[in-house]
Amino acid sequence: ALRGEVSRWEGQARQRERRLAEVERELLQSHAQRAELQTECKPRLPVTVLPSRPSQYVTQTVEVENAQTGRALAEARAQSGALTEQLLVQRQLLRELETQLHESQRSCTQLRTQILVYEGEMERAQGQLEVEMQSLEEEKNRVIEEAFVRAESEMKAVHENLAGVRMNLLTLQPALRTLTCDYNLLKRQVQEFPYMLDKAIVEAKQEICQVINEVSAANQELLRKYKREMNLRKKCHNELVRLKGNIRVFCRVRPVSHEEHVSTESRNMVSFDSDDDAVLYLSNKGKTMTFDLDKVFPPQATQEEVFQEVQSLVTSCIDGFNVCIFAYGQTGSGKTYTMEGAGQNPGINQRALRLLFSEVMEKKPDWDYRITVSMVEIYNETLRNLLGDNPSEKLDIKMNPDGSGQLYVPGLTQITVQCPEDINRVFELGHMNRATACTNLNEHSSRSHALLVITVAGFNSATGNRTQGKLNLVDLAGSERIAKSGAEGSRLREAQCINKSLSALGDVINALRCRHSHVPFRNSRLTYLLQDSLSGDSKTLMMVQVSPLVSNMSESVCSLKFAQRVRSVELGSASAFKRVENSSTSSSPTHDSVEVSSSVVLRCKEILNPHTLTATHTHGAPCV
């Protein structure tokens, strides 16, 4: 590379020398032409010799005789000036080329010096390379010799192994033939395996389907027998309850509200039996308590589902039976919602009246019915007429003067209803006059016991039969703990009266359960008013309301235990009383006669209406 650089610089220097020689030749030519021109012009131009003066130059205009000679002279002068300028440029270029030549010579000298240095280093490197090549050649020969020796030893070992393999092949040939036969056999089996597998699967499916059908048939038969036994057990239980006259007890668990979900004590402590809808489990203090009732409604049960279970009792009042349905439970457990409902989702009260209207319309024109409604409340142990002009007027409970031994309330307002619109007006008036207040446990707590008394009087013009039944729907005020409800002043007195009346109800239930000779009905207005319903002359159903929350667990346990005590009370079997009027007899009570059906008719009625208990004809304002 350095030699090529030096050669390039030398070539450039020679080119510049040749160009400089050409410029010198052109300069010599221009000088020769100028001399020729001057020689030609000398004979024609007159020369004037002037005395010489020191330090002065005289410029004299000379007229040229020949115009052509003048033009030639001008051209010669112009060409001389151009050549002079070109000469100056060439001289300048010559100096630059000389400077570059000197620099090139210095560079060439330096490069020659470097070339010598590099050549010396290359000679030293070549000597080292030759030494290394020699050593590598020796190492290669040594490695080749070692590899050859090792290959010979390995070759001997391979020959020995090959000889052993040949011996093994000779001995393994029979085994190979055997394996070949086995392989062919297995190959045929593998080819036939999909068909065998399909056949086995089909047979297995057939056997499984047969077994499943047999098990399904057995399960269906068991399920049918189980349902039949359950229905039979319920019928036997209902028959036993009817014969004993026990109070039927239903339980309804209210749902948990959104506000209660976010509280710290929102755990649900109530569970249900999936196989038996009459069993309720309650977890209290780490123990599970079991309560056997007649029917248990979970929180998701609707108002329609609840009413379907009690509608047979409601319709029996048309046949002349007295029926009592009352809701019991702590405050805020949903008693008023179950009995009265809310808005477009009515409770038992409105649904019962609508059902009665429907049944009455179906029995026309053979029967003519008259339905009257009364509403009364017990507020601070005082009876109040909710449908009267003066709701604050105090009423009293007296014995019916007709000699039937039943109780009635003189002065109690009775309103005849003929359509659902009349029902709505009656309920609005009763709700407006009922006492409610706000407590810590319930924003709209009922502060009184409310009773809705529905009397259904019927007359059959063809047979002369008259029937009169009563339906008593009771919304008891909720029991409450004073410390939790925060009742003060008038609310405190209300709570005390409510708890006192409910305590008296517990004493009555305990006396009936233990079959005491004296039952303290007169200890409270509530128990005195419920005497007919609790003394065997009514079909009675108790709807106990409970809360599933752990914060209300003590009240729920008390309510359920009380419900079990109520369920064990035997009121005795009852019969319905009817009055028959002939065309020749008057309608006075002295001509009343009791019509007792035959055993066959009674049995048919029991099958059609398993809740049949007792009822009585009353005169005047009805009572529970």
Side-chain angles (χ1 to χ4, degrees), residues 466-573:
R466 287 186 180 272
T467 61
Q468 180 165 310
K470 290 178 295 183
L471 175 61
N472 304 294
L473 303 174
V474 186
D475 179 15
L476 297 177
S479 60
E480 60 183 62
R481 298 181 186 270
I482 306 300
K484 293 180 66 175
S485 65
E488 298 177 354
S490 59
R491 302 286 87 79
L492 178 60
R493 183 170 180 274
E494 293 168 355
Q496 291 172 345
C497 292
I498 292 170
N499 291 338
K500 179 182 177 182
S501 61
L502 294 177
S503 178
L505 178 61
D507 295 337
V508 169
I509 294 299
N510 187 59
L512 292 171
R513 184 168 173 264
C514 298
R515 299 180 183 274
H516 291 170
S517 58
H518 171 69
V519 180
F521 285 110
R522 293 176 179 267
N523 287 359
S524 170
R525 292 282 185 178
L526 174 64
T527 55
Y528 195 24
L529 201 58
L530 292 176
Q531 180 176 349
D532 291 344
S533 300
L534 300 175
S535 58
D537 197 25
S538 176
K539 289 184 177 184
T540 305
L541 183 143
M542 173 183 175
M543 181 72 71
V544 58
Q545 299 279 152
V546 297
S547 169
L549 299 180
V550 64
S551 58
N552 301 324
M553 198 48 52
S554 59
E555 290 84 354
S556 299
V557 171
C558 292
S559 298
L560 290 171
K561 287 183 177 179
F562 179 71
Q564 283 195 326
R565 291 198 299 271
V566 171
R567 187 168 179 260
S568 64
V569 173
E570 297 180 4
L571 300 180
S573 180

Side-chain angles (χ1 to χ4, degrees), residues 219-232:
N219 287 339
Q220 292 292 333
E221 181 66 19
L222 291 174
L223 183 60
R224 186 184 64 80
K225 291 180 179 179
Y226 172 75
K227 290 182 178 180
R228 185 184 64 186
E229 293 297 326
M230 287 293 294
N231 293 331
L232 183 60

Side-chain angles (χ1 to χ4, degrees), residues 77 119 169 217 295 402 471 576:
R77 289 178 179 175
E119 286 178 353
L169 286 175
K295 179 71 176 179
D402 61 356
L471 175 61

